[in-house]
Amino acid sequence: MAGPRDALRTVAGIATGLLVWGAPAVAGLAAVLAASPAAYPAVRLLGAGYLGFLGAQALWQHRRAASAAPAHTGPAAVAGPWRTGLVSNLLNPKIAVFHTGLLPAPAPPGLPPAWAMTLLVLLHTALTLAWLGGYVLLLSRAGPVLQPRIRRALGRTTGVTLIGFGLLLATAGT
């Protein structure tokens, strides 16, 4: 069963994805993706498919009995949650749009553009780590209160929500 360590690894993957998206934004290249008539829809559909996959995976995992799930250890178990966070962030075209359209607006005017964007990308990553990490720590403390029945309901709700977001993303702009 996934716990706070796996959740924090997922948060680290998300933060890594922000840095990966931030690098081309700093270089001014992410604007090409945002403006491309072919690239943005392709990334949007890949992201929608991945959200659907994650939702189906969540539904399947919560369908099985928690006691039947084997304990995962080793490098593959560590990379799994991190990879999930990274891939879901990399396949989120809204991050590219955010980094090219919204993030430059609050850039400090006294700094060269590349430095200002670097500062904002790092700040966005730090805030994401603090925000999502805080959720993980808060929910890990609430874990004993969340009975198995509530956990199953939350897992099902998460799965259906991810599939719904995937469908919304797939049909956005059509």
Side-chain angles (χ1 to χ4, degrees):
M1 176 176 238
R5 281 188 165 158
D6 282 347
L8 289 172
R9 289 180 180 115
T10 303
V11 170
I14 291 168
T16 304
L18 290 175
L19 294 173
V20 170
W21 274 118
V26 167
L29 299 176
V32 172
L33 175 65
S36 171
Y40 181 80
V43 173
R44 180 177 51 82
L45 290 174
L46 282 170
Y50 191 65
L51 283 174
F53 168 76
L54 290 177
Q57 186 179 43
L59 289 173
W60 180 255
Q61 286 176 347
H62 286 280
R63 186 173 178 256
R64 294 182 297 162
S67 61
H72 298 292
T73 58
V78 171
W82 178 85
R83 188 180 315 115
T84 297
L86 174 67
V87 172
S88 64
N89 201 304
L90 291 179
L91 293 177
N92 184 352
K94 292 179 180 149
I95 297 298
V97 173
F98 175 78
H99 278 211
T100 58
L102 186 61
L103 200 58
L111 291 177
W115 284 105
M117 282 300 292
T118 300
L119 176 68
L120 290 174
V121 166
L122 292 175
L123 182 61
H124 182 218
T125 303
L127 289 171
T128 298
L129 283 168
W131 185 261
L132 294 178
Y135 274 140
V136 168
L137 297 176
L138 178 68
L139 290 175
S140 69
R141 298 270 183 199
V145 176
L146 300 175
Q147 300 301 318
R149 188 175 66 159
I150 295 171
R151 287 179 191 228
R152 281 191 302 275
L154 285 172
R156 281 189 232 114
T157 302
T158 300
V160 169
T161 301
L162 286 169
I163 291 170
F165 282 146
L167 289 172
L168 283 172
L169 185 59
T171 59
T174 58

